[in-house]
Amino acid sequence: MFDRLIAYLDSVHARDPAPRSRWEILLYPGIWALGFHRVAHWLFTGELYFLARVVNHIARFLTAIDIHPGAKIGRNFFIDHGFTVIGETAEIGDNVTIYQCVTLGGTNPTNGQPGKRHPTLEDNVIIGSGAQIIGPITVGARARVGANAVVTDDVPEGATMIGLKARSTLVPAETWLREFIPYGTPCDEPCEPAADRVETLERELAELRREVAALRGASTAEPLRKSGTAD
């Protein structure tokens, strides 16, 4: 158990270089929220629903993070900062990172029957701050959701989603596999291929205009030279 805790703290440090030691990581509200949730979920699966809610309430008061006791969470889950809400039927895989003010929210089933209402995040997903993931959708493995994006449809594996309503930037997943990307949003590489193509076209158009202007200047100078020779 101690080895698993050390491995977990090291996985957090790999995603957040700010702490100077494992002891400092132990002060993170996301770490405490996850610890409380493990207890609450154990009580919930044992049908001790009221006690599970009590533990959940204590965790929410201390950490400003609300994880429903029924949510299923995998290994090495990291909430960086607080003010996050995770619903009852949410399912989270391994090595998932969520930043502050994220909601994994639910929708009411149209038939009025209880069931899957919240998102499923597969392994190695990163959710940027302020993102809203709504409904019984699946965010594929290695996907990234940018800050303040609103996602209501399934996200392909390895996609990067931005905007409101979020859309895929169609960036190949291999582009983002080189290293961990804080907040799920790359800052030093293009994440808007369409805008990048427009910028390229504008540069090419400017170059063509310069070439046309040069050709016009040359065509104007040629008759003048011929006229001077005839005289």
Side-chain angles (χ1 to χ4, degrees), residues 154-179:
D154 289 342
V155 176
E157 181 177 321
T160 297
M161 307 296 291
I162 60 173
L164 192 167
K165 175 180 175 182
R167 64 194 185 282
S168 174
T169 61
L170 301 179
V171 177
E174 293 76 12
T175 304
W176 314 122
L177 291 181
R178 293 191 297 274
E179 58 183 354

Side-chain angles (χ1 to χ4, degrees), residues 105-209:
T107 55
N108 290 324
T110 56
N111 59 7
Q113 299 298 320
K116 177 70 170 171
R117 308 187 311 279
H118 300 86
T120 295
L121 309 185
E122 296 184 347
D123 297 346
N124 301 301
V125 166
I126 301 174
I127 308 296
S129 56
Q132 310 295 302
I133 319 297
I134 307 298
I137 63 175
T138 298
V139 179
R142 297 178 290 103
R144 281 78 171 109
V145 177
N148 296 315
V150 176
V151 182
T152 58
D153 298 311
D154 289 342
V155 176
E157 181 177 321
T160 297
M161 307 296 291
I162 60 173
L164 192 167
K165 175 180 175 182
R167 64 194 185 282
S168 174
T169 61
L170 301 179
V171 177
E174 293 76 12
T175 304
W176 314 122
L177 291 181
R178 293 191 297 274
E179 58 183 354
F180 177 75
I181 303 175
Y183 294 92
T185 306
C187 298
D188 56 351
E189 299 184 43
C191 61
E192 281 279 16
D196 189 55
R197 287 194 294 270
V198 169
E199 185 177 343
T200 300
L201 289 173
E202 288 177 345
R203 288 197 300 267
E204 292 176 351
L205 179 59
E207 181 64 26
L208 287 172
R209 284 175 173 169

Side-chain angles (χ1 to χ4, degrees), residues 90-115:
E91 299 178 56
I92 298 174
D94 296 338
N95 305 306
V96 171
T97 304
I98 290 180
Y99 289 90
Q100 65 270 17
C101 301
V102 167
T103 299
L104 303 185
T107 55
N108 290 324
T110 56
N111 59 7
Q113 299 298 320

Side-chain angles (χ1 to χ4, degrees), residues 36-60 66-70:
F36 277 113
H37 173 72
R38 298 298 190 196
V39 176
H41 185 68
W42 180 77
L43 293 170
F44 187 87
T45 55
E47 299 185 357
L48 299 173
Y49 301 122
F50 178 76
L51 290 178
R53 276 295 195 177
V54 169
V55 174
N56 164 248
H57 187 75
I58 294 171
R60 182 172 55 186
D66 186 5
I67 307 176
H68 192 283

